[in-house]
Amino acid sequence: MNARTEPAEAEADAAARPPLARELLLVAGLFLVYKSGRQLATGRTGEAFRNAHRVWDLERAVRLPGEGAVQSLLLHGDTLVHLANTYYATVHFPATAAFLLWLWLRRPAHYVWARRALAALTAAALVLHLALPLAPPRMLAVTGLVDTARVYGPSVYGPPADDQLSNQFAAMPSLHFGWALMLAVGLVVAVRSRWRWLWLLHPLLTLLVIVGTANHYWLDALVAAALLTPALALIPAPHRAATTAGRGREGIAAARSGALVGAGR
């Protein structure tokens, strides 16, 4: 980047940035719709446990590694399992919110792309949650897994019958993993640093945490990735303004045009 391309990129970013108030209302509205929709799947306990047995048997049939192998590593020490529970309870929403806020501030066109991809993934997940209620492995006795959050803390869930804030039978797909994967993909695409690939450690760590704490099956993460893939294919990421910015007025006009097309509001 040089002195001539910086103004072009700045103008393109300003043109692509949606109004903050509108975005906050939109994201809050989508979240409320999702939370309300999840509650429609409550009360289907028998179906959720039957599906859980099917998923567990399917994983064994296709020879996926046992979730217990990951959990046994966490159970080597109280500190490690407590850290895993804390990661599960506290990182999911704040990390996603920080990711979207950073993109809105620094990469507005990428923000619009990432918000759309996350919305598409979450909508598809809601449909699957309603169609396939699924008890997590921590509730399934045949797995032999420990409910680490209940035993070691901290826990974000109460007894399923009394939990009015979440649907604990919405294990598949895992939005913990799906959102973490989108965060990593979004930053790899939007950031230029050679170190940006390290963001892929976030979904990897999330995967180990959700499986090791017995909150999700391997298939929950695989289905989340499968749902995110077509969303990313159908919602192409915009190019950075600097890649289209040339010199002088033509470069500024090209950058501005590219950002507007990429935003596609």
Side-chain angles (χ1 to χ4, degrees):
M1 181 181 295
N2 56 42
R4 296 189 179 213
T5 62
E6 286 177 1
E9 187 169 347
E11 288 192 28
D13 284 348
R17 182 176 294 111
L20 179 59
R22 189 194 74 179
E23 290 303 305
L24 290 175
L25 289 173
L26 178 60
V27 172
L30 290 173
F31 176 75
L32 290 175
V33 168
Y34 173 72
K35 293 294 286 184
S36 299
R38 277 170 61 107
Q39 292 303 315
L40 296 176
T42 58
R44 300 163 66 182
T45 303
E47 186 179 357
F49 277 93
R50 287 192 296 273
N51 289 332
H53 281 283
R54 293 187 184 106
V55 168
W56 182 257
D57 291 341
L58 177 60
E59 287 192 341
R60 309 290 75 79
V62 299
R63 300 185 182 278
L64 286 178
E67 286 83 350
V70 180
Q71 185 170 93
S72 65
L73 296 176
L74 295 182
L75 295 179
H76 277 305
D78 291 359
T79 300
L80 186 59
V81 70
H82 184 81
L83 286 174
N85 291 333
T86 302
Y87 189 93
Y88 180 86
T90 63
V91 172
H92 178 49
F93 284 109
T96 306
F99 163 65
L100 290 173
L101 179 60
W102 186 85
L103 287 181
W104 184 86
L105 289 170
R106 302 295 299 273
R107 306 287 190 272
H110 285 82
Y111 162 80
V112 175
W113 161 69
R115 185 249 288 153
R116 288 177 172 175
L118 281 171
L121 168 63
T122 305
L126 177 57
V127 171
L128 194 53
H129 290 163
L130 295 174
L132 185 74
L134 181 66
R138 58 187 166 81
M139 294 183 182
L140 199 62
V142 71
T143 67
L145 297 172
V146 176
D147 185 347
T148 61
R150 182 179 60 81
V151 175
Y152 297 93
S155 176
V156 294
Y157 302 121
D162 301 327
D163 191 349
Q164 301 299 317
L165 297 177
S166 60
N167 174 19
Q168 297 187 46
F169 297 140
M172 180 180 288
S174 168
L175 284 180
H176 269 75
F177 180 76
W179 287 11
L181 183 59
M182 182 61 217
L183 184 154
V185 170
L187 290 174
V188 166
V189 171
V191 176
R192 294 172 176 171
S193 169
R194 74 175 77 177
W195 302 104
R196 67 189 186 278
W197 297 100
L198 291 177
W199 284 108
L200 294 174
L201 293 175
H202 175 51
L204 176 60
L205 179 58
T206 299
L207 176 61
L208 295 177
V209 164
I210 64 176
V211 170
T213 58
N215 281 292
H216 286 284
Y217 307 89
W218 293 113
L219 283 177
D220 297 340
L222 292 175
V223 170
L227 292 177
L228 180 60
T229 300
L232 292 175
L234 295 172
I235 309 171
H239 295 290
R240 286 294 311 277
T243 63
T244 58
R247 296 177 178 270
R249 295 180 181 177
E250 292 182 0
I252 294 174
R256 183 184 302 161
S257 174
L260 290 172
V261 171
R265 299 182 231 160

